[in-house]
Amino acid sequence: MAKHFKGEKDRALAAAVAPRGNVFTRFTLRSLAANRVRTVVSVIGIALSCALITAVLTSVVSLTDALIQRTAESEGWWYAEAAGITADDLDRLQDEPGVVDWTGIADLGTVSLGEENSDLFGKYLYAKTWPTEQDSEKPLVQDPELVAGHAPEAPGEIVLPHYLQNVELAPCGLTTADGGPIKLGSKVTLDLGTRTVTSLTDGVSFTMTSLRGDYIGDATQSESFSADLGQLSGTVVGFYRSYGYSATLAMVGNAAYVYDDGSALERVMTDDSDATWASVLFRTENPAEAERLADDIVNVWSRDIDGGSTVHSSLIRWMGVTPDTAIWNTLYQVAAILAAVVVVAGVSLVYNSFAISVAERTRQFGLLSSLGASRRQLRRTVLVEALVIGGAGIPVGLALGLLGCFVVFGLVGDGITALFGTDQARVVVSPVALGISAALALLTLLVSAWVPALRASRVSAVDAIRQTQDVHLSRRAARAQRRANRNGDSTRISLGIAGRLFGIPGLIAHKNLTRSSSKGRVTVAALAVSVALLITSGAIAEVMSYASSTAMDTMEGQDLLLYIDATGAEADQTLALADGKVDGPGMQKALARFYEDAQGVEGAQTNGYITSYVADALVPAGMLNSDAANLDSTMTPHEDGSWYGSVYLDFVDDATWKAYVSELGLDPSEFCGPAHPRAIAVNSYDINNGMTYANYRPFTGTGTIESLEFADLDGRFVSSIEDDPSGGLRALYYDDNGDEQYLPYDEAVASEQDIEVGALADYPPDCVTSSGTLQLILPASAIDLAANAGYLRASMSLDTGGDAERANRAQDALEKIAADYPELDVTYTNIADAKLQSRLMATTVNTFVFLFAVITGLIAVANVFNTLANALILRRREFAVLRSIGMGGRAFRRMIAYECASYALRGFLIGLVCAALASLGLYQAMALSYSTYEFQLPWPQIGASLVVVLAVILASVAYALRRCDSSNVVEALRADAL
């Protein structure tokens, strides 16, 4: 019987019914070979989908590994900490099977630095043991950073904070044997004692340790110190960089570190003092168990001694253990949207490919069914085809995904190292990630092929021969047909709108579209998905670009910052006045001379200088909106519409002021006249409160702000200005017992100074950095308006074109110039490197997102081409019939144009709706971290997707018509016939 079959498809069918080997597998392979273009596009599609999944997962694994390594290198490999433990607690920890490593640190007591030293060095030091020797590969705790000397290596060796190096202290609990400054090799004695804090309201006292910090409420608490824990003497062998903060409870606070001979933990756990305590830091096999174990060990909810537990969330969050702030919720939701886009792209492409494949071979499946093939065998035929495509596409996709990661990490390696603080950017090839990628790609294939497989198994021989199973009248067309039958004009043909506009070709195209053909639905669905993918991927790129540019301030034009003070330790105090104030006019004269000298520094461009003050201000009604409270929670609105709070006054040099006024397009005669100075209020603030990012515009208009100076209240301070229940305003302050007291506004305010705001601006001058609260920009010539304000500091910035080395050379030159200004204390910050890192971070984020958008776009293009081209090729018998009855080429192209326009319009509208929903999801994700981010449709991406889809439609139609034209009419009519 096989010898009677003709053609490639006939031979495939003959092989299917021949009783030898796995005939259905051979039938599938021959079918794939006979439709090479569709097969290649399907393989490319699944390869791209798999490559994208592989790249995403591998990047996540690699970047997570980088974050883990970076965090551990700077903070240690501990997972949790139990502070204030007892001997029983330590025994339990040692017996716990899940603990793989631990170390202990003992707090030996408090050292008082005395009142005379407290302004510069704080009130207290805490004597602690230096971390003991640990695992060299994964040390639990990173040793404090030494700036001089070495760590304590033997009994009697002590390491002190860096700020005490070469300092001679006033008499206190830290003394040197010779009474001189503290240096390497100095013999010192520490008087250890107990710090006691007493509540003024109820008289309850407790022992204050470094666990609770140094701060007490002067209005509600009092403190005392008793040197009752003996002395500790030794030699200073090093100084460490003290920042006053540590991720661990044990090492928080400024400490004097001593050598631990192995007995310190036992001593502090068994003595009778509440001022001494022990802490253990440990790592468990399962990071998720660390916090629970720490809580259980110290029994935090029912313990009598001072203590607590903490978890190393900055490390184990990268291990997927702990939740984080809103910014991570944003990233998780964006990642979920990315994953959904990938899955939808893959499923759509593969499903459409198989739907067309099954529709094309309807007659074959029907004949196989008539020859005895079971439904299971027919389903297996389609699923085998999916496995063959997956066998070719998945390995290619895995390789492409890994290759893409290596290429991208190579291109933006500097950005990744800057972003994550690692020494190098490396790709971590994870077998688990590759397995998940392959499994997801295979699952995408099987899910996509299952519905077409079911459809293939249900094809009957009669439907296959007639090919009517995919062609049904729509409900609307069926109703019209029944209505025509009832009226007796069923043979009458109405051209309709399509026929009137496009003639007979339009009528035929319209009739084709009114049939609810699954092929047409597949085409529209493919277009809709592609449009949604293109728009959504572009929207994701825009969102991530916005996020990176908002979160990473590159401070353009400021490469070297100078902070200049007249009250600092290195200043001769000739410009300093009482109560922390400075001689304003004298300071401006010194700054002007220093700035003039700085302008001659080679390789650097000066941006101007600024002197900053902070004023207690009363802002009249009509000048602020509710953004003022969002910007600064201390800003208080009143019933009369006025606001009270802090306002920064930034006085810039006159040259910068004139350039700023001109740049804003303001009238110099109104803002540059020294007789009537006017301020310019900055009215755009990008704020990060540690949880979310936002942009606020608090000013609604101009007006006159009153800078307030309060009356002397015997050392007490006004806390706020409030509404007086009897009318007007009143001042709130606290007495020595911590009780609230009020004064009428007129009695509390000693003087008022008017500051007129003449204009609003969206940005400050280049030399001004945003303060995070209301800012007024004024010229240096108006320094007298700072009479009621508190002096903060002066600063100057220079632009070296982003070159950190040039900034270093400029600093060397400026240090020589500053030596001639003893009245000024100048410190330097080279931020060129940090700015470069910020730019690299933004570039890295944008590169990853751009590549994601490109690959997703390629999948979308392949989807449209594969679906539309094969849908048209599938109708070559129909086209042959139309040509055989006399339809010319022009009419034929008009018919196809009408159908494609219908597909494009419906697909674009559906895709636009889907993309709008995805954009709404992105907006909701962004709103978690960027509270002022506004929802808007991505119109540029919508326009670009329209252009791309139209171009792909034209290309696929041209390809399909060329294929149809190349076939002989007779052969096309005989296609699939026995």
Side-chain angles (χ1 to χ4, degrees):
M1 178 177 177
K3 63 182 179 180
H4 298 293
F5 289 92
K6 306 292 184 181
E8 181 68 26
K9 293 183 180 179
D10 296 343
R11 286 193 295 273
L13 189 58
V17 298
R20 62 180 183 275
N22 193 336
V23 294
F24 287 99
T25 300
R26 290 199 297 274
F27 170 71
T28 299
L29 295 176
R30 293 185 180 219
S31 176
L32 289 172
N35 297 274
R36 286 184 294 274
V37 174
R38 189 189 67 239
T39 302
V40 170
V41 173
S42 298
V43 170
I44 292 175
I46 197 63
L48 288 174
S49 300
C50 184
L52 192 54
I53 297 173
T54 302
V56 169
L57 292 181
T58 301
S59 297
V60 169
V61 171
S62 301
L63 298 180
T64 300
D65 177 76
L67 288 167
I68 291 173
Q69 295 294 330
R70 187 281 311 268
T71 305
E73 287 173 2
S74 60
E75 300 178 11
W77 283 96
W78 63 279
Y79 290 169
E81 177 182 13
I85 64 169
T86 64
D88 292 338
D89 294 333
L90 183 58
D91 290 340
R92 177 179 176 182
L93 177 73
Q94 293 173 324
D95 294 338
E96 190 71 33
V99 176
V100 297
D101 195 11
W102 70 273
T103 189
I105 297 175
D107 191 307
L108 308 176
T110 305
V111 178
S112 174
L113 295 181
E115 291 294 333
E116 293 184 54
N117 301 311
S118 62
D119 288 342
L120 293 177
F121 310 114
K123 290 184 177 182
Y124 301 99
L125 286 179
Y126 302 96
K128 300 175 184 286
T129 55
W130 187 267
T132 55
E133 185 176 347
Q134 306 168 71
D135 182 355
S136 59
E137 292 186 0
K138 290 187 175 182
L140 288 171
V141 183
Q142 290 296 327
D143 294 342
E145 178 189 353
L146 292 169
V147 298
H150 60 81
E153 300 171 348
E157 294 186 343
I158 299 174
V159 173
L160 295 175
H162 73 282
Y163 54 77
L164 294 180
Q165 187 174 12
N166 300 321
V167 171
E168 184 174 347
L169 295 173
C172 64
L174 171 59
T175 58
T176 58
D178 58 5
I182 304 172
K183 302 178 180 178
L184 289 176
S186 294
K187 304 295 183 180
V188 298
T189 299
L190 307 178
D191 295 328
L192 304 180
T194 303
R195 180 188 179 195
T196 303
V197 174
T198 302
S199 171
L200 297 176
T201 56
D202 55 17
V204 176
S205 299
F206 63 90
T207 300
M208 192 79 159
T209 67
S210 60
L211 270 176
R212 297 175 179 262
D214 286 339
Y215 176 78
I216 68 168
D218 292 330
T220 59
Q221 295 174 315
S222 64
E223 67 173 322
S224 61
F225 178 81
S226 175
D228 57 355
L229 296 179
Q231 293 182 329
L232 193 155
S233 299
T235 302
V236 177
V237 297
F239 292 92
Y240 74 95
R241 189 176 302 281
S242 174
Y243 296 102
Y245 171 79
S246 172
T248 70
L249 296 174
M251 302 176 73
V252 71
N254 295 320
Y257 286 102
V258 301
Y259 177 77
D260 183 4
D261 60 3
S263 64
L265 283 181
E266 183 178 357
R267 291 202 312 270
V268 299
M269 288 189 297
T270 56
D271 64 19
D272 296 329
S273 174
D274 290 339
T276 62
W277 53 279
S279 176
V280 289
L281 300 102
F282 59 90
R283 184 170 65 248
T284 55
E285 291 182 359
N286 181 3
E289 293 295 320
E291 183 176 15
R292 179 199 58 78
L293 180 57
D295 287 347
D296 290 346
I297 287 174
V298 298
N299 194 15
V300 294
W301 305 115
S302 59
R303 61 187 294 110
D304 297 327
I305 63 175
D306 194 16
S309 65
T310 185
V311 63
H312 196 182
S313 58
S314 60
L315 174 66
I316 66 176
R317 69 183 177 190
W318 307 122
M319 302 175 182
V321 175
T322 58
D324 213 320
T325 57
I327 187 64
W328 296 110
N329 294 331
T330 294
L331 294 178
Y332 294 149
Q333 290 197 18
V334 171
I337 294 174
L338 291 177
V341 169
V342 173
V343 171
V344 169
V347 170
S348 173
L349 176 62
V350 179
Y351 171 81
N352 292 339
S353 178
F354 281 103
I356 292 172
S357 175
V358 169
E360 184 176 9
R361 292 179 291 159
T362 297
R363 186 171 295 211
Q364 298 175 28
F365 287 123
L367 293 176
L368 287 173
S369 177
S370 69
L371 293 173
S374 66
R375 290 191 172 188
R376 181 180 178 183
Q377 289 173 320
L378 295 177
R379 286 197 301 270
R380 189 174 63 186
T381 299
V382 179
L383 295 178
V384 167
E385 182 176 336
L387 293 176
V388 171
I389 291 177
I394 291 176
V396 173
L398 294 175
L400 286 176
L402 289 177
L403 178 62
C405 284
F406 280 104
V407 171
V408 172
F409 273 63
L411 292 175
V412 296
D414 291 340
I416 295 174
T417 56
L419 186 61
F420 298 105
T422 55
D423 294 333
Q424 61 180 355
R426 66 189 187 100
V427 177
V428 177
V429 180
S430 169
V432 175
L434 295 179
I436 293 175
S437 300
L440 286 175
L442 183 59
L443 180 63
T444 298
L445 265 173
L446 296 178
V447 169
S448 304
W450 183 250
V451 173
L454 289 178
R455 185 178 301 165
S457 68
R458 294 170 181 168
V459 175
S460 68
V462 175
D463 285 340
I465 294 172
R466 297 175 58 193
Q467 287 196 331
T468 59
Q469 74 286 349
D470 285 333
V471 180
H472 305 281
L473 289 179
S474 65
R475 293 182 179 179
R476 180 178 179 183
R479 287 196 299 269
Q481 184 66 46
R482 288 195 296 269
R483 189 163 51 249
N485 290 335
R486 286 196 302 268
N487 296 334
D489 55 356
S490 57
T491 59
R492 178 174 172 268
I493 299 177
S494 175
L495 290 178
I497 297 177
R500 294 189 183 96
L501 293 178
F502 293 89
I504 297 300
L507 174 64
I508 297 174
H510 179 71
K511 292 296 182 182
N512 284 331
L513 294 172
T514 57
R515 303 186 185 101
S516 297
S517 171
S518 62
K519 304 164 191 174
R521 291 196 300 270
V522 167
T523 304
V524 172
L527 286 167
V529 170
S530 299
V531 168
L533 289 176
L534 290 170
I535 297 175
T536 302
S537 61
I540 290 174
E542 183 176 308
V543 162
M544 295 305 294
S545 176
Y546 173 89
S548 63
S549 62
T550 302
M552 303 173 190
D553 182 10
T554 58
M555 298 177 66
E556 292 301 330
Q558 300 186 50
D559 296 318
L560 180 64
L561 289 180
L562 283 66
Y563 296 109
I564 307 169
D565 195 1
T567 62
E570 299 299 324
D572 62 10
Q573 309 297 313
T574 56
L575 295 177
L577 303 177
D579 299 325
K581 293 186 176 182
V582 299
D583 177 0
M587 179 74 172
Q588 293 306 309
K589 291 179 181 178
L591 284 173
R593 290 187 290 108
F594 181 71
Y595 181 69
E596 184 177 356
D597 292 341
Q599 289 179 305
V601 173
E602 184 179 356
Q605 176 67 44
T606 53
N607 292 322
Y609 61 86
I610 173 181
T611 311
S612 298
Y613 291 77
V614 61
D616 293 301
L618 189 65
V619 184
M623 284 192 67
L624 296 177
N625 58 30
S626 59
D627 273 3
N630 293 327
L631 178 67
D632 183 357
S633 60
T634 63
M635 291 294 295
T636 306
H638 302 138
E639 290 182 359
D640 63 359
S642 63
W643 292 72
Y644 168 77
S646 298
V647 175
Y648 277 70
L649 308 179
D650 293 326
F651 296 87
V652 299
D653 63 279
D654 288 340
T656 298
W657 174 255
K658 292 177 181 178
Y660 185 52
V661 169
S662 177
E663 185 177 344
L664 295 176
L666 302 175
D667 187 353
S669 63
E670 295 184 5
F671 287 87
C672 299
H676 188 189
R678 289 183 174 89
I680 298 174
V682 179
N683 198 28
S684 180
Y685 301 86
D686 290 323
I687 300 299
N688 174 21
N689 63 4
M691 293 284 289
T692 61
Y693 297 88
N695 176 269
Y696 296 116
R697 303 180 67 84
F699 284 97
T700 57
T702 59
T704 300
I705 293 175
E706 294 178 349
S707 176
L708 309 179
E709 183 174 23
F710 295 111
D712 184 7
L713 302 178
D714 295 329
R716 306 180 188 93
F717 300 96
V718 170
S719 176
S720 67
I721 300 295
E722 302 178 351
D723 287 307
D724 192 329
S726 61
L729 301 175
R730 65 181 183 181
L732 166 67
Y733 71 96
Y734 293 90
D735 61 19
D736 294 338
N737 295 322
D739 296 328
E740 294 182 348
Q741 301 293 333
Y742 295 95
L743 276 178
Y745 179 85
D746 293 339
E747 295 182 22
V749 176
S751 67
E752 299 174 334
Q753 193 172 29
D754 292 342
I755 301 177
E756 182 182 352
V757 177
L760 308 179
D762 288 338
Y763 57 90
D766 288 341
C767 61
V768 177
T769 302
S770 176
S771 65
T773 188
L774 300 181
Q775 278 182 284
L776 302 183
I777 312 299
L778 295 122
S781 58
I783 194 66
D784 290 340
L785 292 178
N788 289 349
Y791 169 76
L792 291 176
R793 65 184 178 188
S795 62
M796 181 186 303
S797 69
L798 292 91
D799 182 3
T800 62
D803 190 324
E805 184 59 34
R806 285 169 56 189
N808 286 330
R809 291 196 297 268
Q811 177 177 334
D812 293 339
L814 288 169
E815 286 177 348
K816 296 178 181 179
I817 295 174
D820 296 331
Y821 293 86
E823 67 272 35
L824 303 178
D825 179 7
V826 185
T827 57
Y828 306 86
T829 302
N830 184 341
I831 61 174
D833 283 332
K835 286 171 54 180
L836 175 61
Q837 289 188 351
S838 294
R839 286 193 291 267
L840 289 172
M841 292 176 192
T843 300
T844 300
V845 172
N846 293 336
T847 299
F848 274 103
V849 176
F850 173 76
L851 292 176
F852 171 84
V854 168
I855 296 177
T856 307
L858 290 176
I859 295 175
V861 168
N863 191 11
V864 174
F865 182 86
N866 190 39
T867 304
L868 188 55
N870 284 285
L872 292 175
I873 293 172
L874 190 59
R875 297 168 57 192
R876 60 183 175 272
R877 294 182 69 248
E878 174 189 337
F879 297 157
V881 171
L882 292 174
R883 288 200 301 271
S884 69
I885 62 175
M887 177 176 282
R890 182 178 180 184
F892 182 75
R893 287 190 293 271
R894 289 172 64 187
M895 179 189 73
I896 296 300
Y898 181 91
E899 291 188 23
C900 290
S902 176
Y903 291 148
L905 180 60
R906 287 184 289 164
F908 185 81
L909 292 177
I910 296 173
L912 180 60
V913 172
C914 295
L917 294 176
S919 297
L920 182 60
L922 287 172
Y923 161 73
Q924 292 175 339
M926 288 290 291
L928 294 174
S929 301
Y930 300 84
S931 57
T932 56
Y933 181 76
E934 296 181 354
F935 174 72
Q936 57 182 353
L937 288 175
W939 293 112
Q941 287 74 26
I942 291 173
S945 68
L946 179 60
V947 172
V948 171
V949 168
L950 290 178
V952 177
I953 287 176
L954 292 176
S956 55
V957 168
Y959 167 77
L961 293 182
R962 189 165 57 251
R963 282 282 306 272
C964 293
D965 290 341
S966 65
S967 61
N968 182 273
V969 174
V970 176
E971 289 296 328
L973 292 173
R974 293 179 57 197
D976 298 328
L978 285 174

